[in-house]
Amino acid sequence: QYPSICLLEWSVRKSMVSILANQCSFVTGQRVRRAWQMGELYSSLYSERSRWSLASALWRRFQSRHAGAGKLVAALAGVFMWEEEKIREEELRRSASELQAMEGMKSQNLSRVVPGNVDAGWEIVMEKKNFWLWRRPILNSHLYEYRVLGTYTDITPRQFFNVQLDTEYRKKWDSLVIKLDVVDRDVSTGSEVVYWATHFPYPMYSRDYVYVRRYDVDLENNLMVLVSRAVEHPYVPETTDFVRVRSYQSRMVIRPHKSFDENGFDYLLTYCDDPQTAFPRYCVSWMVSSGMPDFLEKLHAAALRARNQEVGIRDYAGVKTKERLTGDAAHTGAPGQMEYA
């Protein structure tokens, strides 16, 4: 009788599994219909911008309660994990402190001073009037990290800051740009994800970058800060058209000599990336060391043209200043949307 008992147990279990599957299917169907009805309701009640804000808030709540499951669902659904990838306040503060640590050295011979006076391994690469460039090797890598301290006296901090952030204007003044677009935005911090495709020197293939950036205008300490670093984003998967640069980080801090709207400021740029080349370290170092001053001078010239020709660029500094003074969130657009003042 033992086989008969086993057969009976198997039949009962099969029936229970079937009932459970039907019940799960019924519950899932109900929830999908309910979600669809709620979506239709909110579509009729709220604008597109409000719907994006609501969806972002619900997604962050789900992430906070189910962190592990959230990552899996995000990967399957092609959702960017803002809570994991966003640039945080401490990153902005740390970047600002790097400039503050160097401000007392301008009257000294900067080629003999270690940037920040605390970091080891920096060596001077280039020294000009109002421009100093250092580098230091990155551990367990063939690459260098670079640091620039510079001064401009013929443009305002606001002009220099806005020109760096305005992607539409950069398409006009930077001939190396192939494509440059904001593809996503975090409504809570104003962080943005940017896709950037750029020409590289012949015979290298063109490169593309996907990076998150966040900026801040610190009225109390009279500073402007811009931090960027590479991320992965489902909106811009890797293609065969470009070589994807997956290691990239940039930090820019600006200190006005007087105010944000008067000529004259100091800036500190710290930068590193892995351009995915087979060249030895000294070749890559030469390309970056020569290319960085050229780019900064192009940026400077673009800021001058924006001022002299009154080019219509977005006032990022003004938006952030208004946000800090009023407490309003200035960035509430859906992914890919830009708001202009």
Side-chain angles (χ1 to χ4, degrees), residues 249-267:
Q249 184 170 326
S250 174
R251 304 188 300 277
M252 171 76 81
V253 187
I254 299 171
R255 165 83 77 182
H257 291 167
K258 295 181 180 179
S259 72
F260 297 139
D261 294 303
E262 296 179 80
N263 286 349
F265 60 90
D266 300 328
Y267 68 89

Side-chain angles (χ1 to χ4, degrees), residues 37-326:
Q37 292 170 352
M38 291 178 63
E40 290 293 314
L41 175 63
Y42 283 119
S43 294
S44 62
L45 292 179
Y46 298 106
S47 66
E48 182 179 1
R49 178 180 300 174
S50 299
R51 293 198 301 272
W52 275 107
S53 300
L54 176 63
S56 298
L58 292 174
W59 177 249
R60 284 195 297 272
R61 182 180 299 178
F62 178 80
Q63 284 180 282
S64 64
R65 292 183 178 179
H66 310 281
K71 292 182 179 180
L72 177 59
V73 171
L76 295 174
V79 176
F80 184 65
M81 297 285 288
W82 271 111
E83 190 59 34
E84 299 291 330
E85 301 290 356
K86 69 182 181 182
I87 294 172
R88 305 182 185 279
E89 292 286 345
E90 53 266 30
E91 293 181 68
L92 299 174
R93 289 194 296 268
R94 186 166 59 249
S95 300
S97 67
E98 293 173 353
L99 175 60
Q100 293 170 328
M102 296 188 69
E103 286 183 320
M105 304 177 189
K106 287 194 65 179
S107 60
Q108 306 177 34
N109 183 355
L110 288 171
S111 63
R112 302 179 184 274
V113 178
V114 175
N117 211 27
V118 292
D119 300 326
W122 292 100
E123 61 175 323
I124 191 73
V125 175
M126 186 180 300
E127 182 175 359
K128 299 180 179 180
K129 182 181 179 181
N130 295 328
F131 181 91
W132 298 267
L133 171 63
W134 295 270
R135 72 180 183 185
R136 69 175 177 182
I138 299 175
L139 293 177
N140 303 318
S141 170
H142 66 287
L143 302 169
Y144 287 99
E145 181 180 20
Y146 298 88
R147 179 165 285 180
V148 176
L149 179 65
T151 300
Y152 288 119
T153 58
D154 55 351
I155 55 175
T156 70
R158 184 188 298 272
Q159 292 160 353
F160 190 66
F161 191 69
N162 289 338
V163 166
Q164 289 184 76
L165 286 162
D166 195 304
T167 55
E168 293 303 313
Y169 182 44
R170 182 166 178 176
K171 294 175 186 178
K172 300 175 182 178
W173 63 262
D174 188 350
S175 61
L176 296 179
V177 168
I178 301 173
K179 191 172 183 180
L180 182 63
D181 295 298
V182 175
V183 297
D184 201 355
R185 179 180 290 110
D186 176 39
V187 297
S188 64
T189 65
S191 297
E192 298 170 331
V193 174
V194 179
Y195 175 72
W196 171 36
T198 180
H199 294 290
F200 258 51
Y202 180 84
M204 292 188 291
Y205 290 104
S206 298
R207 264 57 176 172
D208 67 351
Y209 297 70
V210 181
Y211 61 91
V212 59
R213 71 180 186 183
R214 183 178 177 184
Y215 66 94
D216 190 36
V217 178
D218 188 340
L219 300 175
E220 293 78 13
N221 295 301
N222 203 32
L223 290 172
M224 295 171 160
V225 184
L226 171 61
V227 177
S228 305
R229 53 176 162 77
V231 293
E232 300 284 342
H233 198 288
Y235 290 177
V236 277
E238 188 173 4
T239 70
T240 57
D241 297 331
F242 305 100
V243 176
R244 177 63 53 88
V245 176
R246 300 187 179 281
S247 177
Y248 162 73
Q249 184 170 326
S250 174
R251 304 188 300 277
M252 171 76 81
V253 187
I254 299 171
R255 165 83 77 182
H257 291 167
K258 295 181 180 179
S259 72
F260 297 139
D261 294 303
E262 296 179 80
N263 286 349
F265 60 90
D266 300 328
Y267 68 89
L268 179 68
L269 170 63
T270 305
Y271 175 91
C272 64
D273 78 342
D274 183 356
Q276 301 287 305
T277 67
F279 298 137
R281 173 186 279 190
Y282 69 88
C283 291
V284 177
S285 175
W286 176 82
M287 286 189 292
V288 176
S289 299
S290 59
M292 186 177 294
D294 291 343
F295 170 76
L296 289 168
E297 191 48 45
K298 286 182 181 178
L299 186 62
H300 173 228
L304 283 173
R305 287 196 297 272
R307 181 193 65 185
N308 296 334
Q309 300 175 9
E310 298 182 354
V311 177
I313 64 175
R314 181 184 179 185
D315 184 13
Y316 288 82
V319 170
K320 182 59 68 172
T321 299
K322 178 181 178 182
E323 179 183 332
R324 292 179 70 91
L325 290 174
T326 64

